[in-house]
Amino acid sequence: MTRAGFAALKLPNVEVLNTDFIRLRSPRINGVTAFIGNPPYLRHHALSPATKAWAQKAAEKLGLKVSGLAGLHAYFFLAAAGNGRAGDIGCYVTSGEWLDVNYGAIVRDLLLDGLGGESIHVLAPESLPFQKTATTAAITCFRVKKPPEAIRFQSITTVADLASLADSGEPVARYRLLETGRWSTFVRTRNAIPEGFIELGELCRVHRGSVTGSNRTWVTLPGANDLPESVLFPSITRARELFAAGAELASAEQLRLVIDLPADLDELDVGDRKQVEKFIASARRAGVRKGYIASHRPKGAWWAIGLRAPAPMLATYMARRPPAFVRNLVGARHINIAHGLYPREELPEDALTKLAACLRTSITLAQGRTYAGGLTKFEPREMERLPVPALDSLLRS
Amino acid sequence: MPSAFVAEPGSITPDPRESSLVRLAIDLGAADAGGPLSAAEARLVTRANRLMASTPRTRLATARRALRAGLDPLGDEFCAIRTPSARRESGAIYTPPALVQPMVDWVMDESPARVIDPPAVDVSSSTLPAASPAPIWWRWTSTRWLP
């Protein structure tokens, strides 16, 4: 089809190569070579061992490391760095996930080093940059062999706003980019924290809920087994429980129970211990001990989930709508389908209620990270960066 | 392409619509543009010439007109044939012109002697540089449906 287009337009000086770009060595020429394109979006699962081995070698040659989880688009940046010569330029449009994830480190490292990042223009998912696909896209401009003093970041809300790439965006100094592995914050915090507001993280720590390793084993209904009450904890085990709760979780009646056994079974009295050991034996027979999470629990206590203390506020963290922020009035625990918000210092009840109300009404999906399909996620550190009223404002009656 | 597929008169790929698209591309001059064909491309052209009738004149003229007007009729037809989920399997996400134009503008402002564009299937006159002196433009194709 490419050739047909060239033929119809009678374009001279074009060559189509039906081959593997990442392995191709382009011959030297006089003058600048420009790399431009939309590298295929293929996750690491789809890449062959030989392709991954190529990436390892290519990164090593540049004194860098590449994660085995990196997608094909990262390899295209590597190929440009390997193929390019000083003064060559490039402009790729890709999904924006490499800005933040661990396996995107190779792209970040390249842009701060030999690939010479110049600017990154991030299109919000609601701009639908790729035909009906709600995902963050990034157009990255680079200049080979020129480690930058700063890289410009631009946030784009609609595709129509995308004009010239040459001068747009705000520069972020190299030393700040080196300090962090999450570059999308430099896009989002172009909208600075307003006067009178602070980051949520200054008031609260945000912690992901506990991972059970096998919800089928460790999440149960009231009355479903003989375990003592002391090891059964009403918990948020589904995000919809928080969405349904509204402003506050006022009853634990509808909640399922998480079985949280002590690591040291000597803590239990004789009768309770007998029941617990029976349960542990049945879980062992079902192979629960061999699961990844269970087998990595400390001191061999594979049965001890270790639920966190109840959080005064709970939040959903992954949905197609902004997170729910819910006051936890019943001391429910939570597993990893929710985050718990724990004030750094004790806060009065009405301040917590005001804080939750503010978070419910002001937080938008744009402040999270959106994946293909439109699911938006707020990791704990990202949630801690959300703007909230300053403490004195919350304490005012 | 599944290795068990056997080309028959009128169809050189499992999907007759794709066969028709291949025929159209060849009749637009694909075999003579963009440098030497790869072995896989040459085999496809041979099969098409042997087994398929030429593209009807009106379809050919319409496609040529659309390409010269800056549209992407072959890309549009390809996207209609291959569902988004099928295209996602090969990582193919097509770039809308509104994204392409600023990228091309930025690149061409640097007056490159060579442009390398991996991988590409579509081409639109509105995104390409002016005729001469034109840089050498290399495009890597993603042609997973070739045998």
Side-chain angles (χ1 to χ4, degrees):
Chain A
M1 294 195 302
T2 301
R3 292 181 186 274
F6 287 146
L9 296 170
K10 296 185 182 164
L11 291 174
N13 288 338
V14 287
E15 188 173 355
V16 176
L17 299 172
N18 185 222
T19 186
D20 186 350
F21 169 66
I22 62 174
R23 288 186 176 81
L24 193 76
R25 298 300 301 175
S26 47
R28 282 185 183 273
I29 60 165
N30 289 329
V32 168
T33 293
F35 299 90
I36 186 172
N38 177 357
Y41 182 73
L42 280 177
R43 296 215 130 144
H44 71 96
H45 322 278
L47 303 179
S48 68
T51 301
K52 290 188 179 184
W54 170 87
Q56 294 295 332
K57 266 199 183 151
E60 260 168 40
K61 263 193 202 164
L62 299 169
L64 299 171
K65 285 188 178 166
V66 59
S67 164
L69 303 181
L72 185 60
H73 60 286
Y75 293 16
F76 273 60
F77 283 97
L78 251 181
N83 247 323
R85 277 135 201 128
D88 290 346
I89 60 170
C91 188
Y92 285 158
V93 58
T94 64
S95 126
E97 63 195 40
W98 62 262
L99 286 159
D100 293 333
V101 295
N102 287 343
Y103 55 77
I106 184 62
V107 181
R108 299 193 295 271
D109 290 344
L110 283 168
L111 292 174
L112 284 174
D113 192 43
L115 206 53
E118 200 161 280
S119 60
I120 301 170
H121 311 264
V122 180
L123 291 99
E126 54 268 24
S127 67
L128 298 178
F130 299 112
Q131 291 180 340
K132 301 176 192 174
T133 304
T135 185
T136 308
I139 297 176
T140 308
C141 301
F142 53 88
R143 202 169 292 269
V144 177
K145 300 290 189 285
K146 193 181 167 227
E149 290 303 314
I151 299 179
R152 281 181 286 109
F153 282 76
Q154 182 191 18
S155 171
I156 296 158
T157 319
T158 68
V159 173
D161 293 338
L162 184 58
S164 166
L165 303 180
D167 302 310
S168 39
E170 296 296 321
V172 178
R174 177 191 180 77
Y175 74 86
R176 290 192 64 202
L177 295 168
L178 283 167
E179 275 171 2
T180 178
R182 297 209 186 284
W183 285 11
S184 66
T185 53
F186 298 116
V187 180
R188 285 202 292 279
T189 56
R190 292 305 96 191
N191 310 319
I193 302 283
E195 185 81 28
F197 282 66
I198 55 176
E199 290 187 351
L200 174 63
E202 293 186 50
L203 292 176
C204 298
R205 290 310 309 270
V206 178
H207 288 295
R208 196 189 308 279
S210 306
V211 180
T212 70
S214 169
N215 285 356
R216 193 169 47 197
T217 306
W218 304 109
V219 178
T220 186
L221 291 169
N225 52 53
D226 298 331
L227 289 167
E229 268 189 33
S230 61
V231 302
L232 299 173
F233 298 87
S235 303
I236 293 292
T237 58
R238 288 171 290 209
R240 63 175 182 260
E241 289 162 348
L242 290 178
F243 287 125
E248 46 191 43
L249 185 65
S251 166
E253 275 177 21
Q254 303 299 320
L255 299 182
R256 296 189 294 178
L257 305 171
V258 169
I259 303 165
D260 192 12
L261 307 176
D264 183 357
L265 297 179
D266 288 341
E267 290 176 18
L268 300 165
D269 66 33
V270 171
D272 289 349
R273 181 167 181 152
K274 209 168 157 194
Q275 295 300 343
V276 165
E277 282 178 342
K278 201 168 134 196
F279 181 84
I280 289 175
S282 90
R284 185 188 279 113
R285 281 193 300 275
V288 175
R289 184 186 185 170
K290 292 182 189 157
Y292 179 85
I293 297 291
S295 59
H296 286 78
R297 287 205 172 110
K299 297 178 185 163
W302 59 269
W303 57 82
I305 289 172
L307 287 173
R308 284 188 181 274
M313 199 184 318
L314 295 163
T316 58
Y317 77 90
M318 185 159 66
R320 288 189 176 81
R321 47 155 284 182
F325 291 92
V326 180
R327 290 280 288 112
N328 181 8
L329 302 184
V330 297
R333 308 300 179 95
H334 64 287
I335 63 172
N336 62 325
I337 47 80
H339 290 337
L341 279 64
Y342 298 84
R344 292 181 187 274
E345 292 173 10
E346 200 170 334
L347 290 177
E349 287 296 312
D350 59 347
L352 278 171
T353 300
K354 264 198 231 173
L355 178 60
C358 172
L359 286 164
R360 267 195 304 278
T361 53
S362 63
I363 302 310
T364 66
L365 283 175
Q367 289 161 297
R369 194 168 356 127
T370 299
Y371 293 84
L375 268 183
T376 299
K377 214 170 164 188
F378 288 80
E379 298 291 353
R381 298 295 84 76
E382 286 166 346
M383 199 169 267
E384 285 181 358
R385 300 208 64 175
L386 295 174
V388 296
L391 183 58
D392 55 359
S393 172
L394 292 172
L395 292 174
R396 234 177 274 141
S397 61
Chain B
M1 177 183 295
S3 56
F5 172 74
V6 176
E8 296 177 349
S11 187
I12 53 169
T13 68
D15 187 328
R17 297 170 300 168
E18 289 195 8
S19 297
S20 168
L21 186 55
V22 171
R23 183 74 248 180
L24 172 60
I26 292 168
D27 290 337
L28 282 166
D32 300 313
L37 300 182
S38 68
E41 287 173 310
R43 276 196 300 275
L44 196 66
V45 170
T46 303
R47 278 199 204 179
N49 288 339
R50 188 160 47 89
L51 296 170
M52 293 189 71
S54 298
T55 304
R57 237 182 265 166
T58 39
R59 174 161 150 78
L60 191 60
T62 302
R64 191 173 280 122
R65 254 195 319 271
L67 281 165
R68 289 176 181 167
L71 301 173
D72 184 14
L74 279 73
D76 291 343
E77 199 169 317
F78 184 74
C79 289
I81 295 168
R82 293 240 182 132
T83 61
S85 57
R87 283 183 268 124
R88 267 197 292 273
E89 275 174 36
S90 62
I93 309 285
Y94 289 90
T95 322
L99 259 57
V100 172
Q101 196 61 59
M103 294 170 67
V104 170
D105 290 344
W106 184 82
V107 158
M108 296 315 296
D109 276 350
E110 300 287 328
S111 303
R114 174 174 63 190
V115 180
I116 296 180
D117 179 359
V121 179
D122 62 295
V123 61
S124 160
S125 65
S126 64
T127 67
L128 288 172
S132 67
I136 303 167
W137 196 286
W138 284 15
R139 304 195 89 163
W140 271 256
T141 62
S142 175
T143 51
R144 283 167 62 109
W145 44 261
L146 286 180

